[in-house]
Amino acid sequence: MGIRKIVTIGDDTLRKVCRKQEKFDLRLAVLLRDMADTMYKAEGVGLAAPQVGILRRVAVVDVTEDHTGLVEMVNPEIVEREGTQTGREGCLSVPGRQGVVTRPMKVRVRFQDRKGNWMEMETEGFEARAVCHELDHLDGRMYIDVMDRELTKEEIEGHIPEDDAQ
Ligand code: NI
């Protein structure tokens, strides 16, 4: 297992636009494995390469509780968006905070796998939210830039009206 250090807000790395991943080699495979390990250890549902200090267009998402839903995305882009959803969101690079963010309900995302094959995935609900959140990281954007409002400490622990909409 390769657990990498997650950079947190205030670090310039999180604000850079990442470069395209050009090589589909062992180094990329190791990065993807380490990113998944790091995400699972931190109990997150997604992680983008700049969060571990790598300015490349690479991200992982897994919204399942038993870690069976890993999606590895290289050079991803959203090609279709549909509807909206409003709900709570957090980020491993913004520890201890949460906000309410409006995202598309459904997205179609095009990306390359670790071997360079192009794929398309359609997803909705919480996974679509996670995909949008991670792709934003690749352009130096974070949820705190686009949130409707920030939650208070009490709201983070408790129920908020937006939870009912999920
Ligand atoms: Ni994040």
Side-chain angles (χ1 to χ4, degrees):
M1 293 233 296
I3 305 298
R4 304 214 183 180
K5 186 179 180 301
I6 297 175
V7 301
T8 52
I9 187 163
D11 190 310
D12 281 352
T13 312
L14 294 170
R15 293 311 193 173
K16 300 267 164 61
V17 174
C18 296
R19 287 181 308 249
K20 197 169 176 235
Q21 178 72 33
E22 308 273 6
K23 284 188 185 162
F24 295 84
D25 54 5
L26 180 63
R27 200 184 171 95
L28 173 64
V30 170
L31 173 64
L32 283 163
R33 192 202 57 201
D34 287 358
M35 283 174 61
D37 288 345
T38 304
M39 168 181 73
Y40 291 137
K41 181 153 189 282
E43 297 181 349
V45 295
L47 196 69
Q51 291 183 275
V52 292
I54 307 288
L55 291 171
R56 291 285 172 186
R57 304 191 78 81
V58 175
V60 293
V61 164
D62 188 346
V63 298
T64 66
E65 274 177 21
D66 56 359
H67 302 174
T68 53
L70 181 64
V71 184
E72 299 175 335
M73 294 179 291
V74 180
N75 300 321
E77 43 179 324
I78 292 171
V79 291
E80 241 177 87
R81 298 170 167 80
E82 204 183 304
T84 59
Q85 56 174 321
T86 298
R88 67 169 78 210
E89 213 165 287
C91 178
L92 294 175
S93 294
V94 191
R97 292 169 63 184
Q98 282 183 11
V100 171
V101 187
T102 299
R103 299 281 190 189
M105 178 54 88
K106 210 166 164 179
V107 295
R108 176 181 288 277
V109 55
R110 187 170 178 268
F111 56 91
Q112 283 169 287
D113 67 9
R114 57 167 67 199
K115 291 180 179 159
N117 303 306
W118 282 99
M119 344 248 296
E120 268 194 24
M121 176 179 90
E122 198 177 277
T123 182
E124 57 187 319
F126 189 57
E127 189 176 50
R129 171 181 296 285
V131 166
C132 293
H133 177 117
E134 298 316 324
L135 266 60
D136 270 357
H137 274 300
L138 305 182
D139 289 315
R141 260 194 317 274
M142 298 178 74
Y143 86 85
I144 49 173
D145 308 331
V146 296
M147 66 184 170
D148 302 338
R149 66 186 180 94
E150 175 138 22
L151 296 186
T152 63
K153 289 258 180 290
E154 292 71 33
E155 285 177 314
I156 290 172
E157 300 300 324
H159 184 88
I160 57 167
E162 287 86 350
D163 290 336
D164 300 326
Q166 296 302 293

